[in-house]
Amino acid sequence: MLNRRNILILLIILFVAVFAFVNINQMAHNDAGSSNNASAVTRELIANNSQDKGYVEVIKNVGNPNAKKIAYVVGVHPLENDTHRTLLKLLPNQTDLNYCYDIYVINVTEDFSAYGKLLPDDNPGRETGQNLAYKYVYPEIVNGSYEAAIDIHAHGGAYPYNTFVFCPVDGGVGESYGRNVSQATENISYYNPYQTTSGPYLTIPLNEHGVPAFYFEENSFISQDIKDRHMLELIHAVDNLKL
Ligand SMILES: [Zn+2]
């Protein structure tokens, strides 16, 4: 029987239900509109062929998914994976990023070493990483509407600076982005060593075909705390570039 009291109770239940529904909807909506939309982040496998001795993934839409896009690349030289892990740990956890970031992750599965481990010969793994970069990452970035690309590396201390950026092609936008990052940071120098093995597989053709690209190099033998601090300097200087 629907007497007055029951109708009142039904109305209250209905009112509470509608109120809750609107609130949940608003929360979902606010989340989608925020600048760090974790739900938009995806991880895809873009290459996995047994003859390649490795595979390539991309983590997409880190930061502000509606903004201009920048690509990061890690894993071209698998020996240098401490620095790659540092970027993968820090970049996806930054809030309030201005731009949208895709991180290309090259995973070499055979014949590689790591700084500090000094396993015999890293050369086959380096070559594999470079080949994967040219075969799979380069076409994705050059055709992917990116405003810039940053290739993350580490070194064993043979350079005059611990932490530096450089563009292997002088005189273009890639160089000016690299110099801007260096000027905006306390600990990142601009230093072009004028000899890279990986340049022809990624950063040189990117610069030559419309995507300004530069290297980030970190000394593999400094402490993880300092590597973290330097990587955060890079991430935020890149995020404040005027594209
Ligand atoms: Zn390298």
Side-chain angles (χ1 to χ4, degrees):
M1 258 308 266
L2 283 178
N3 61 27
R4 243 186 205 183
R5 198 168 138 256
N6 284 349
I7 289 172
L8 193 66
I9 289 170
L10 271 175
L11 279 175
I12 289 169
I13 290 169
L14 193 70
F15 181 78
V16 169
V18 167
F19 184 76
F21 179 76
V22 167
N23 258 352
I24 286 165
N25 256 3
Q26 259 174 4
M27 275 160 63
H29 188 76
N30 287 346
D31 192 39
S34 80
S35 66
N36 195 19
N37 180 13
S39 64
V41 175
T42 61
R43 189 169 186 137
E44 296 166 30
L45 193 62
I46 58 169
N48 191 14
N49 303 305
S50 54
Q51 74 272 17
D52 287 330
K53 297 180 184 172
Y55 58 97
V56 183
E57 298 167 287
V58 56
I59 301 165
K60 283 192 166 169
N61 295 326
V62 173
N64 179 357
N66 304 313
K68 290 177 174 173
K69 292 202 302 173
I70 295 177
Y72 275 94
V73 182
V74 299
V76 174
H77 290 153
L79 173 77
E80 299 156 10
N81 59 66
D82 57 320
T83 312
H84 309 150
R85 286 198 308 270
T86 305
L87 179 86
L88 290 170
K89 175 181 75 177
L90 294 173
L91 179 58
N93 290 319
Q94 301 308 301
T95 53
D96 297 325
L97 291 167
N98 293 316
Y99 297 125
C100 178
Y101 298 93
D102 291 351
I103 312 169
Y104 289 86
V105 186
I106 297 169
N107 301 284
V108 175
T109 48
E110 290 179 34
D111 301 318
F112 67 93
S113 180
Y115 278 119
K117 291 198 176 146
L118 299 178
L119 292 173
D121 183 9
D122 180 56
N123 279 332
R126 280 172 82 84
E127 233 178 276
T128 305
Q130 292 174 171
N131 289 334
L132 286 165
Y134 190 64
K135 194 169 166 188
Y136 300 112
V137 179
Y138 170 65
E140 292 276 333
I141 295 180
V142 83
N143 297 314
S145 307
Y146 292 100
E147 305 283 333
I150 302 106
D151 187 9
I152 303 292
H153 288 249
H155 63 91
Y159 296 114
Y161 299 96
N162 280 335
T163 316
F164 55 97
V165 288
F166 70 98
C167 176
V169 179
D170 283 340
V173 183
E175 181 184 350
S176 78
Y177 285 171
R179 288 194 184 278
N180 287 346
V181 164
S182 172
Q183 278 158 13
T185 52
E186 201 182 328
N187 296 296
I188 302 175
S189 304
Y190 189 93
Y191 168 70
N192 188 346
Y194 287 106
Q195 46 171 30
T196 67
T197 47
S198 59
Y201 296 86
L202 190 65
T203 47
I204 291 174
L206 282 176
N207 278 291
E208 287 173 346
H209 293 92
V211 181
F214 62 88
Y215 282 85
F216 172 76
E217 285 274 1
E218 176 64 286
N219 186 330
S220 202
F221 291 102
I222 61 176
S223 75
Q224 187 60 48
D225 277 7
I226 296 174
K227 285 178 193 167
D228 286 356
R229 205 190 313 150
H230 292 170
M231 191 62 80
L232 287 171
E233 286 186 21
L234 173 75
I235 288 169
H236 291 292
V238 167
D239 200 51
N240 285 301
L241 282 173
K242 286 190 176 54
L243 301 175

